[in-house]
Amino acid sequence: MPTSPLLVIDSFGDNAVASLIRAHDWSTSSLGHPDTWPQVLRTVTTLILNSKFPMFLAWGPQLALLYNDAYVNLLGNKHPASLGRPFEEVWSEIWEDITPIVEQAMAGESTYHENLPLTLKRKGYEESTWFTFSYSSIYAEDGTVAGMYCACTETTQQVLATRERKNEIEHLRQLFQQAPGIIAVLRGKEYVFELVNDAYQQLVGDRELIGKKARVAIPEVEDQGFFELLDSVYESGEPYVGRGIPVKLRRPPSDELELYYVDFIYQPIRDASGQITGIFIEGSDVSEAVKATLALRESEKHLRQLANNIPHLAWLAEPDGQIMWFNDRWYEYTGTTSEQVTGWKWTELHEPKYLPMVLSTYKRCLQSGEPFELSFPLRSASGEFRTFFTRATPLRDEAGNILQWLGTNTDIHDREIVQEELKTANRRKDEFLAMLAHELRNPLAPIGTAAELLNHSYAEPSLVKKASNIISRQVEHMTGLVDDLLDVSRVTRGLISMQLEPVDISTVINDAVEQVSTMIEQKRQQLVVNTSSTQAIVDGDRTRLTQVLANILNNASRYTPMNGHIQLHLGVHANEIEIAIQDDGIGIEDTLLPHIFDHFTQAERSPDRAQGGLGLGLALVKSLVELHNGRVTAKSEGLNKGSRFTVLLPRVMNFQESSVMGNAIPITDSELLDILIVDDNEDAAHMLSMLLDLQGHRTRVEHRGATALQTLEEAVPRAMIIDIGMPEMDGYQLAQRIRAMPQTAGTVLIALTGYGQYEDREQSKLAGFDHHLVKPVRIADLTSILSEIKNSRN
């Protein structure tokens, strides 16, 4: 039967920006109403609106801006006011930077730019960004350039990540080069120098090493046993450790061999398969220490002079451990005199809590004669404690008797701080993941209560419907949180994705109360919610705002005793919406109050507050509220005097509700379909079957791919809903088998799976699926697909 022609705006699709275009007042725009637009403008607009890639076009003398959903995230808080506005007004802060590019496009010259730096002001503050994009001319029917089209993507994070990686690599290279010990990497069986640090280069003298075989680069050690040791390590895979090993080196430009002593380790390097591909050399030039030990037998004075010239703190001790001499570096660092530290008086420079461990280890080494190695703090002349790595080596006579102990203290304080910072960062990551798990559990309480209600056969239909709605909303909320968990690296760097839209705060309050109602009921607390008759609309993310209020209510309940009182008051002001949550719980200490929104901040736990939380909820609240251009405050009169948290959000004025329907499309009796459901999760398969049966379809259920194929030999369904992750034969394999059967050519295949990435959708398409739905499925989406199948048959 003939149909009436569609309006232009009806061809733009059903995405958010398309809906905004339909509702937009075009009377003040230079573009005019979309029905009056030229055909080329309509075509390009339809193209960008149906693209998932960020795109925009600028049309006419004023270059009025049109864009798609994917471009909204790049606009930030400039959306939706940017729709139809002149391009120069929307991006005024970068207009001077991009004017030459715009002029080229309007002159008919297309351009491409990769990682172009731009300073944007789209979130209320200036930020450095980078973009990769192309500008292309759009020609009117008369052949003149009437506008320009741009496909773009923001590369800020990639650019910053690349920059950070370069900095890290350079930092590691500097650490490698500046390491006090000798370091070298030899490649292959012929021991080709691949890397050497400055200390190694200094040891062997100014000679070319990189890319040369060791035997060619340092020929003078050929008969000193080192190459034989390398061969042994390479063949056996066992590392070799040498201490005080003599080596004669010819350091250019001198032709004379010089004697050195080195501590070193030859460590085999293995590839991913475990094969040895080279040797890692690490060690220290201990020539001075060894020569000093030898010189001690001839002249103790000479030894002390030598020790005074090294950069470390150094000392000599009697065989029983009493220190008899310190070098000048020791006195410079500690600010002490010889009388203050000789004997055992040096213990006063140690931090008391570490001293017992130091003395115990030191005395054990004195008895056993083994070298002493330990890290501990020492007090400086200014009173600061810095961490030192201390090594004491026994100096023996020819008979092996200990004559003295030579000790050195090397300052490793800065390195320890870096390591501690890394540990702290790792701990914060773990605590952050724990916090996300905590946030995921919040919706489980109303879901569990609603499921328990549905378990009673005598439940009234109205209660059943209410319980079903609660479960649906909370599952949707949990799905959003799971998406955040999968993208945790982006979240931890402050790149939380916000789905901004007009939101009625009353619905947010209801959602938040649902999440915490179980806890409040268990503690028999009284929650009073005072809302306003005035419409309270904000431009926000409903899930995130629910998370904000649920976190505050959750804290209020947790820190309020049994039978306590909690009050939530919604106030609507001229430009702001105020949500105040007051409790009569334990309150907040004055010392804690200024830090209440910091990460991991919480009051000291006590037995009656065993579930004190992770100290992340309020920090998350502050971040989310600020992302909505709002602010949050906390007040308390002190301990046991309750707390008051106030959230202030910008109010959206002159809001008109959208007429878009949110319910599933009903199916009449004439729309029945034969449907085969294939899912190894029996509960999931049967619940979906029951739901589709209630809608009037005829369903069958199979739990394995092989049995599903057997069923198809008896009867061919109009549609099949297939899980991907199944044993024996997965959904991809099953779809391929079905597509190879002539009798199932007209069967529509719908993938229903927990895998929802772009690669998963592409793989399902290649396997033969017509549609791809992600668990938990939105029934409205499935119903819409089934209606399309019925209509295509009619």
Side-chain angles (χ1 to χ4, degrees):
M1 59 184 290
T3 59
S4 59
L6 294 174
L7 295 174
V8 170
I9 57 177
D10 290 330
S11 67
F12 288 164
D14 58 354
N15 51 63
V17 174
S19 300
L20 186 61
I21 291 176
R22 295 187 184 96
H24 189 68
D25 181 8
W26 294 97
S27 61
T28 61
S29 172
S30 63
L31 294 176
H33 194 274
D35 283 337
T36 67
W37 293 355
Q39 183 60 46
V40 64
L41 178 57
R42 301 177 188 177
T43 301
V44 178
T45 302
T46 302
L47 169 68
I48 69 171
L49 287 176
N50 289 281
S51 174
K52 301 300 182 183
F53 195 83
M55 297 180 180
F56 73 84
L57 67 89
W59 182 268
Q62 296 185 8
L63 294 178
L65 189 65
L66 296 172
Y67 49 87
N68 61 3
D69 285 10
Y71 190 74
V72 168
N73 289 334
L74 305 185
L75 283 169
N77 58 18
K78 292 177 182 287
H79 173 76
S82 299
L83 188 64
R85 286 180 58 199
F87 189 73
E88 180 179 357
E89 293 182 11
V90 175
W91 293 114
S92 59
E93 66 269 29
I94 61 171
W95 184 248
E96 290 186 4
D97 297 325
I98 63 175
T99 295
I101 305 175
V102 174
E103 290 175 349
Q104 283 181 283
M106 295 307 293
E109 181 180 353
S110 299
T111 59
Y112 173 81
H113 303 271
E114 184 173 5
N115 294 332
L116 182 70
L118 296 171
T119 301
L120 302 185
K121 192 174 182 181
R122 54 182 175 176
K123 300 175 184 175
Y125 56 87
E126 290 189 349
E127 58 176 326
S128 297
T129 63
W130 286 262
F131 287 83
T132 293
F133 61 91
S134 64
Y135 278 6
S136 302
S137 307
I138 304 177
Y139 292 87
E141 295 179 356
D142 61 0
T144 62
V145 177
M148 65 178 186
Y149 155 83
C150 176
C152 62
T153 182
E154 183 172 355
T155 59
T156 301
Q157 296 310 311
Q158 296 93 311
V159 171
L160 293 178
T162 300
R163 183 177 296 175
E164 183 177 355
R165 284 196 298 272
K166 289 181 178 179
N167 291 338
E168 290 175 350
I169 292 172
E170 178 60 21
H171 179 62
L172 290 175
R173 188 193 66 80
Q174 291 178 358
L175 289 178
F176 176 87
Q177 289 296 334
Q178 297 172 8
I182 59 173
I183 301 177
V185 175
L186 305 180
R187 183 184 71 248
K189 178 66 174 176
E190 294 182 334
Y191 315 123
V192 176
F193 279 101
E194 198 166 58
L195 290 172
V196 295
N197 73 340
D198 294 343
Y200 192 94
Q201 188 74 63
Q202 183 178 2
L203 175 66
V204 300
D206 186 15
R207 67 176 83 190
E208 187 176 352
L209 297 175
I210 302 300
K212 286 192 172 185
K213 299 177 183 178
R215 283 184 166 87
V216 175
I218 314 178
E220 65 267 30
V221 301
E222 177 66 46
D223 298 323
Q224 298 183 46
F226 291 93
F227 294 126
E228 290 77 6
L229 289 174
L230 288 172
D231 291 336
S232 175
V233 171
Y234 198 98
E235 293 170 2
S236 68
E238 296 294 329
Y240 174 82
V241 178
R243 298 194 179 277
I245 305 300
V247 56
K248 294 180 179 180
L249 296 171
R250 183 179 292 111
R251 302 179 62 182
S254 173
D255 291 330
E256 298 294 327
L257 289 175
E258 297 182 46
L259 178 62
Y260 295 88
Y261 295 89
V262 290
D263 288 347
F264 66 93
I265 179 172
Y266 286 168
Q267 179 74 41
I269 301 173
R270 301 179 185 271
D271 60 16
S273 64
Q275 296 297 315
I276 296 176
T277 60
I279 303 293
F280 175 78
I281 302 174
E282 189 275 334
S284 301
D285 177 5
V286 294
S287 300
E288 290 187 10
V290 173
K291 291 176 180 179
T293 301
L294 297 175
L296 177 64
R297 298 171 184 174
E298 301 177 357
S299 174
E300 185 175 302
K301 179 180 178 180
H302 177 68
L303 175 62
R304 295 181 180 183
Q305 290 175 341
L306 179 63
N308 273 325
N309 291 323
I310 65 174
H312 311 285
L313 312 186
W315 41 272
L316 289 172
E318 300 287 357
D320 63 359
Q322 293 192 68
I323 298 180
M324 52 183 291
W325 174 84
F326 291 99
N327 71 344
D328 293 343
R329 304 289 85 74
W330 170 275
Y331 295 116
E332 291 172 2
Y333 173 77
T334 63
T336 59
T337 63
S338 175
E339 292 75 15
Q340 292 174 319
V341 291
T342 53
W344 293 91
K345 297 177 184 178
W346 51 266
T347 57
E348 298 177 4
L349 298 172
H350 284 248
E351 193 167 351
K353 67 178 181 180
Y354 293 103
L355 184 57
M357 174 191 65
V358 173
L359 289 175
S360 174
T361 306
Y362 186 44
K363 291 178 179 179
R364 176 174 55 80
C365 292
L366 291 175
Q367 293 177 355
S368 65
E370 61 184 287
F372 170 86
E373 291 186 354
L374 197 62
S375 297
F376 47 81
L378 288 175
R379 190 177 70 235
S380 69
S382 65
E384 174 193 12
F385 279 96
R386 294 184 63 85
T387 303
F388 285 78
F389 171 73
T390 298
R391 175 180 174 85
T393 304
L395 306 180
R396 303 176 183 270
D397 59 18
E398 295 179 355
N401 300 314
I402 296 177
L403 300 175
Q404 291 176 333
W405 289 82
L406 172 64
T408 57
N409 307 81
T410 303
D411 191 335
I412 60 170
H413 188 75
D414 294 335
R415 186 180 70 184
E416 291 286 304
I417 290 176
V418 171
Q419 292 177 346
E420 187 60 33
E421 288 175 349
L422 292 175
K423 292 178 182 178
T424 300
N426 190 58
R427 185 183 71 251
R428 286 182 179 269
K429 176 205 68 177
D430 294 339
E431 291 173 343
F432 179 79
L433 292 175
M435 179 275 294
L436 282 180
H438 162 73
E439 294 299 330
L440 287 172
R441 293 191 184 99
N442 280 341
L444 291 177
I447 290 175
T449 303
E452 183 65 25
L453 174 62
L454 294 175
N455 199 32
H456 294 284
S457 59
Y458 56 79
E460 297 180 5
S462 62
L463 294 178
V464 172
K465 182 177 180 180
K466 182 177 181 181
S468 299
N469 290 337
I470 290 174
I471 291 175
S472 297
R473 281 196 301 272
Q474 297 307 322
V475 167
E476 183 176 356
H477 178 64
M478 288 186 67
T479 302
L481 292 176
V482 169
D483 289 340
D484 285 342
L485 181 58
L486 294 176
D487 203 12
V488 66
S489 65
R490 178 174 54 84
V491 174
T492 54
R493 287 181 291 155
L495 303 177
I496 300 177
S497 176
M498 304 291 290
Q499 303 297 325
L500 299 179
E501 59 182 354
V503 176
D504 189 338
I505 288 298
S506 297
T507 63
V508 173
I509 291 174
N510 292 337
D511 292 347
V513 170
E514 279 181 6
Q515 287 193 20
V516 301
S517 59
T518 300
M519 176 185 291
I520 291 175
E521 291 169 2
Q522 289 175 347
K523 299 184 73 172
R524 297 194 294 277
Q525 295 165 340
Q526 182 179 356
L527 171 63
V528 177
V529 179
N530 298 319
T531 57
S532 173
S533 59
T534 305
Q535 193 177 43
I537 305 297
V538 301
D539 189 20
D541 186 315
R542 177 172 173 173
T543 299
R544 297 299 187 182
L545 291 175
T546 300
Q547 198 173 359
V548 167
L549 297 188
N551 272 343
I552 298 177
L553 286 171
N554 202 28
N555 274 2
S557 178
R558 179 181 296 117
Y559 296 117
T560 298
M562 299 286 290
N563 301 310
H565 301 81
I566 303 171
Q567 185 177 41
L568 187 152
H569 176 76
L570 172 62
V572 182
H573 307 297
N575 299 314
E576 284 186 322
I577 292 173
E578 177 182 348
I579 308 120
I581 298 174
Q582 175 76 49
D583 63 64
D584 57 1
I586 67 169
I588 306 172
E589 296 182 68
D590 291 341
T591 56
L592 182 64
L593 194 57
H595 309 286
I596 197 67
F597 293 107
D598 294 344
H599 282 88
F600 313 123
T601 297
Q602 61 180 184
E604 184 178 355
R605 296 184 182 217
S606 58
D608 60 336
R609 292 193 298 107
Q611 297 178 357
L614 299 172
L616 285 169
L618 292 180
L620 183 61
V621 164
K622 183 175 184 292
S623 297
L624 292 178
V625 170
E626 289 177 348
L627 285 174
H628 285 83
N629 296 317
R631 60 190 188 278
V632 59
T633 61
K635 292 184 178 179
S636 176
E637 297 300 324
L639 288 178
N640 300 318
K641 293 184 179 181
S643 304
R644 180 182 181 88
F645 286 83
T646 303
V647 177
L648 296 168
L649 297 170
R651 183 185 176 194
V652 174
M653 308 298 292
N654 302 322
F655 169 75
Q656 295 182 352
E657 292 193 46
S658 171
S659 60
V660 178
M661 296 180 62
N663 297 326
I665 303 172
I667 298 180
T668 65
D669 291 342
S670 62
E671 297 175 329
L672 300 181
L673 294 174
D674 289 318
I675 303 172
L676 176 59
I677 300 171
V678 187
D679 194 332
D680 62 320
N681 187 321
E682 297 186 10
D683 288 341
H686 287 299
M687 287 301 296
L688 182 58
S689 173
M690 291 169 60
L691 179 61
L692 296 180
D693 287 344
L694 288 174
Q695 291 187 345
H697 296 296
R698 293 182 292 271
T699 63
R700 290 173 293 161
V701 174
E702 294 294 342
H703 304 299
R704 292 292 187 274
T707 57
L709 292 174
Q710 294 174 1
T711 302
L712 293 178
E713 296 177 357
E714 302 172 1
V716 178
R718 186 71 181 90
M720 292 181 66
I721 303 174
I722 303 174
D723 182 28
I724 297 297
M726 295 188 295
E728 301 172 5
M729 181 187 300
D730 64 25
Y732 299 132
Q733 296 169 325
L734 177 58
Q736 292 170 346
R737 296 280 294 275
I738 293 172
R739 287 303 180 220
M741 301 170 65
Q743 66 268 33
T744 58
T747 300
V748 177
L749 302 185
I750 304 169
L752 181 58
T753 174
Y755 303 104
Q757 300 298 318
Y758 172 80
E759 295 79 4
D760 304 318
R761 296 179 185 275
E762 288 297 307
Q763 189 173 356
S764 68
K765 185 186 299 183
L766 292 174
F769 282 101
D770 300 289
H771 302 278
H772 188 109
L773 298 177
V774 179
K775 295 179 180 179
V777 65
R778 293 181 70 253
I779 300 304
D781 294 340
L782 179 58
T783 303
S784 177
I785 292 174
L786 297 179
S787 295
E788 291 179 8
I789 297 173
K790 181 265 174 187
N791 293 334
S792 66
R793 182 174 59 184
N794 294 340

